[in-house]
């Protein structure tokens, strides 16, 4: 998410170093365009909102800061209504799968889900769904 006036850049080349916090390792996988990644990393060119959205770097754009904050809070509230165990497991599995083969990702999620079956969250979620209610989960 970002506002229409947002921009992104890889600035490390401007201070004489290579990007060193995972940008060069992760960004190419996110945008799927090696040529563009190289251009941005070599030049520090700003990646504007429209281009970032087109590439899938951001999921939504908003006309201004206020609507961005409202949209972000709405999304955060929706995510917070889900099982914290499932959200954290999903996050860990997405990160793992990004850097591993499909089979390794499937093996990893299998292990996670075996552990999640031991939590109360799955029972709460299924019960609430059957009763057509909103599940209430414990905090982590």
């Amino acid at each position: 998410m970002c506002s229409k006036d947002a921009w992104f850049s890889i600035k490390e080349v401007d201070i004489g170093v290579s990007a060193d916090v995972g940008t060069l390792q992760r960004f190419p996988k996110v945008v799927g365009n090696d040529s563009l990644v190289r251009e941005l990393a070599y030049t520090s060119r700003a990646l504007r909102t429209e281009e970032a959205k087109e590439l899938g770097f951001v999921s939504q754009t908003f006309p201004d800061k206020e609507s961005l904050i409202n949209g972000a809070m709405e999304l955060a509230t929706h995510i917070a209504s889900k099982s914290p165990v499932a959200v954290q497991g999903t996050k860990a599995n997405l990160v793992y799968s990004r850097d591993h083969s499909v089979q390794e990702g499937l093996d990893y999620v299998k292990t996670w889900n075996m552990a999640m079956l031991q939590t109360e969250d799955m029972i709460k979620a299924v019960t609430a769904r059957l009763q057509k209610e909103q599940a209430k989960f414990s905090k982590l």
Side-chain angles (χ1 to χ4, degrees), residues 10 21-22 30 34-36 61 96 119 137:
I10 304 169
V21 293
V30 171
D34 185 66
S35 176
L36 176 67
T61 60
Y96 184 89
T119 72
F137 301 102

Side-chain angles (χ1 to χ4, degrees), residues 86-105:
V87 171
Q88 290 301 312
T90 298
K91 180 180 177 180
N93 278 278
L94 285 169
V95 170
Y96 184 89
S97 293
R98 177 194 60 213
D99 300 328
H100 293 83
S101 71
V102 171
Q103 188 58 55
E104 290 169 322

Side-chain angles (χ1 to χ4, degrees), residues 16-17 33-34 71 74 87 93 98 101 109 112 125 130-131 133:
V17 298
N33 184 330
D34 185 66
E74 185 178 311
V87 171
N93 278 278
R98 177 194 60 213
S101 71
V109 76
W112 264 90
L130 290 172
Q131 296 173 349
E133 297 175 352

Side-chain angles (χ1 to χ4, degrees), residues 42-83:
Y42 297 158
T43 66
S44 305
R45 175 176 76 78
L47 178 67
R48 300 283 175 193
T49 302
E50 301 80 23
E51 191 177 9
K53 176 87 165 68
E54 184 180 305
L55 290 168
F57 186 61
V58 297
S59 59
Q60 297 179 57
T61 60
F62 294 87
D64 54 46
K65 180 181 175 183
E66 183 179 341
S67 60
L68 168 62
I69 291 171
N70 290 337
M73 292 303 294
E74 185 178 311
L75 179 60
T77 300
H78 185 73
I79 293 169
S81 74
K82 306 298 181 184
S83 159

